[in-house]
Amino acid sequence: MKAQQTLEVGIMSSEEISFGLLPSGDGPRRVSMRDGKILFEGKLYDELNFEAPAVPASGTAAPEGTGIVTSVFAAPSFILYGVTIGIDFHWEQRRDLQYAGDLKFIVEDGRITAVNIIGIEDYLLSVISSEMKSSSSLELLKAHAVISRSWVLARIRDRREGTAADLPHTRFDVCADDHCQRYQGIAMASGDRVRKAIEETWGQTLTYGGRLCDARYSKCCGGVTERFSACWEDVDFPYLQSVADNDGGKDFCDCEEDAVLSQVLNDYDLRTRDFYHWKVRYTAGELSELVRRRTGEDLGTVTDLTPLERGDSGRIVRLKISGTKGELTVGKELAVRRALSESHLKSSAFEVVRDGDSFVLDGRGWGHGVGLCQIGAAVMASKGYGYREILKHYYRGAEIG
């Protein structure tokens, strides 16, 4: 029996949360806020815990307090109703999702937060099936298992070292949405392929110089991946540099094959097919109102969008927005995307084209573009590349240990 380290995942926050415990299905039950505490069945709690059912016969429990569990591919133990996924993105929606492991309710910022305590390998079952699809090719799933495992272990390390500047979670290790890694419940991991991907890469991580890699990834790089500092802190890592997403021919992520895309993209992602090359058009009036609402700054009528700095992939790092009442500089990459869209612009790798009274943003890619390109990796797997070759392509110089 293989052991798993545990982690804590913050799933949802609200003034009231409905849940049910499995397999009994005694739901929905409710917790709510009262006097700064958690109200449950007439009693007030600072923290409320529900342990998963006993480990099945196929597994054995590790010594209490070790932070290790040995249940492999645990069954669902609770359900949360109305979990919001894709927060602030155009595919945002609410779903009822099942999870394995323990459930804990805590009070955070005047709201109740539901936290899942689960073994890392069980967590990865859901992550790689939420980020991709459980029907994806085995080599793609194995590549994603390694980078998702590396990323979450690096987050746990950074939290303990107090260096997680871009992930300000203090009461749990990671969240469950796109801000961290998609974690949409154990039911997403249907079929044997995703389990096989975890088993065949069990415990494998990416390292560079003996240290865990911060293995970032995005949906589609648009032909060239981006360096770390263009999107986050002003530091760079040798394994997160700009890489051409091809092997001397057509870009891997320039793909329109349904057979490949339907493996990689979940139903709500499939609504977006112009991920490699896209265009957005705004009139000056539309853009001016959008910028005012999204940045909180009234610049009057927008007269110009001027890229001040670009990353190696062409993504805009700093953008000057000029208007009749003033100007504003926004950055880095995500701030640019937020300022120019009702949710998030697909990427900041765009050229600004004036067409009469309109601004046309002619762009490439979907996401920040750092690290592995998910659609590019899917195409590589479909062409016969193994997961080790895929990882070596996107994370130059990193080792799989």
Side-chain angles (χ1 to χ4, degrees), residues 307-373:
L308 300 178
E309 179 184 352
R310 290 184 183 269
D312 294 342
S313 74
R315 282 169 169 78
I316 298 174
V317 178
R318 291 190 304 124
L319 176 73
K320 183 172 72 173
I321 306 174
S322 302
T324 56
K325 293 183 180 180
E327 55 186 39
L328 173 69
T329 298
V330 294
K332 295 186 174 180
E333 180 265 352
L334 183 57
V336 173
R337 293 166 61 195
R338 285 175 172 167
L340 301 181
S341 173
E342 294 290 355
S343 56
H344 296 71
L345 203 64
K346 289 188 179 69
S347 84
S348 69
F350 61 85
E351 300 293 336
V352 181
V353 180
R354 293 301 301 269
D355 183 11
D357 184 50
S358 295
F359 291 80
V360 179
L361 310 184
D362 189 349
R364 295 177 293 104
W366 182 4
H368 53 69
V370 178
L372 179 135
C373 170

Side-chain angles (χ1 to χ4, degrees), residues 11-12 18-20 22 28 78-85 93-99 184-188:
I11 300 174
M12 64 184 301
S18 297
F19 70 102
L22 302 172
F78 65 92
I79 181 171
L80 292 174
Y81 297 95
V83 179
T84 301
I85 63 175
Q93 56 192 267
R94 291 163 64 89
R95 292 188 175 183
D96 302 336
L97 299 176
Q98 297 181 2
Y99 301 87
Q184 297 170 359
I186 206 72
M188 297 292 289

Side-chain angles (χ1 to χ4, degrees), residues 24 26 73 97 140 167 286 290 303 332:
S24 61
D26 61 338
F73 306 149
L97 299 176
L140 174 61
L167 293 170
E286 291 171 337
L290 178 65
T303 58
K332 295 186 174 180

Side-chain angles (χ1 to χ4, degrees), residues 57-264:
S58 61
T60 57
E64 184 176 352
T66 61
I68 300 291
V69 296
T70 56
S71 57
V72 180
F73 306 149
S77 57
F78 65 92
I79 181 171
L80 292 174
Y81 297 95
V83 179
T84 301
I85 63 175
I87 297 173
D88 292 335
F89 286 89
H90 63 274
W91 62 85
E92 180 177 313
Q93 56 192 267
R94 291 163 64 89
R95 292 188 175 183
D96 302 336
L97 299 176
Q98 297 181 2
Y99 301 87
D102 299 343
L103 171 62
K104 177 172 69 173
F105 292 107
I106 62 174
V107 176
E108 186 181 39
D109 298 327
R111 295 158 66 90
I112 299 172
T113 297
V115 178
N116 183 200
I117 304 170
I118 188 170
I120 284 180
E121 305 299 326
D122 285 328
Y123 162 79
L124 291 175
L125 276 178
S126 172
V127 168
I128 66 174
S129 304
S130 302
E131 287 283 352
M132 318 299 286
K133 290 181 71 173
S134 56
S135 59
S136 299
S137 67
L138 180 60
E139 294 305 303
L140 174 61
L141 289 171
K142 288 164 70 173
H144 221 297
V146 174
I147 62 175
S148 291
R149 184 183 294 113
S150 303
W151 184 88
V152 76
L153 286 170
R155 298 285 70 71
I156 294 172
R157 174 202 66 198
D158 292 348
R159 182 187 174 200
R160 291 174 178 172
E161 294 179 355
T163 58
D166 65 328
L167 293 170
H169 307 307
T170 59
R171 301 288 300 281
F172 45 85
D173 295 308
V174 294
C175 68
D177 205 54
D178 293 73
H179 182 253
C180 292
Q181 297 190 115
R182 290 183 183 177
Y183 175 60
Q184 297 170 359
I186 206 72
M188 297 292 289
S190 59
D192 296 330
R193 188 174 297 173
V194 66
R195 288 166 170 75
K196 186 175 182 182
I198 299 294
E199 289 174 337
E200 293 188 0
T201 64
W202 189 280
Q204 290 183 14
T205 58
L206 283 177
T207 61
Y208 189 94
R211 186 170 175 83
L212 275 169
C213 290
D214 189 342
R216 305 291 172 114
Y217 53 88
S218 68
K219 192 65 66 182
C220 174
C221 69
V224 185
T225 67
E226 187 53 86
R227 68 180 189 273
F228 183 90
S229 63
C231 302
W232 295 287
E233 300 99 316
D234 293 327
V235 296
D236 276 310
F237 303 103
Y239 55 86
L240 287 180
Q241 298 296 326
S242 186
V243 174
D245 192 37
N246 58 61
D247 58 1
K250 179 181 177 181
D251 291 339
F252 291 127
C253 60
D254 184 7
C255 175
E256 297 181 359
E257 298 178 33
D258 287 339
V260 174
L261 297 180
S262 62
Q263 289 184 25
V264 179

Side-chain angles (χ1 to χ4, degrees), residues 270-332:
L270 279 169
R271 301 171 191 169
T272 304
R273 300 301 292 265
D274 59 340
F275 46 80
Y276 179 77
H277 183 205
W278 49 267
K279 290 185 179 182
V280 174
R281 175 185 291 267
Y282 297 117
T283 66
E286 291 171 337
L287 182 59
S288 303
E289 174 60 19
L290 178 65
V291 168
R292 185 190 66 78
R293 285 188 285 104
R294 295 294 284 170
T295 68
E297 298 286 341
D298 183 3
L299 303 180
T301 300
V302 173
T303 58
D304 202 6
L305 299 176
T306 308
L308 300 178
E309 179 184 352
R310 290 184 183 269
D312 294 342
S313 74
R315 282 169 169 78
I316 298 174
V317 178
R318 291 190 304 124
L319 176 73
K320 183 172 72 173
I321 306 174
S322 302
T324 56
K325 293 183 180 180
E327 55 186 39
L328 173 69
T329 298
V330 294
K332 295 186 174 180

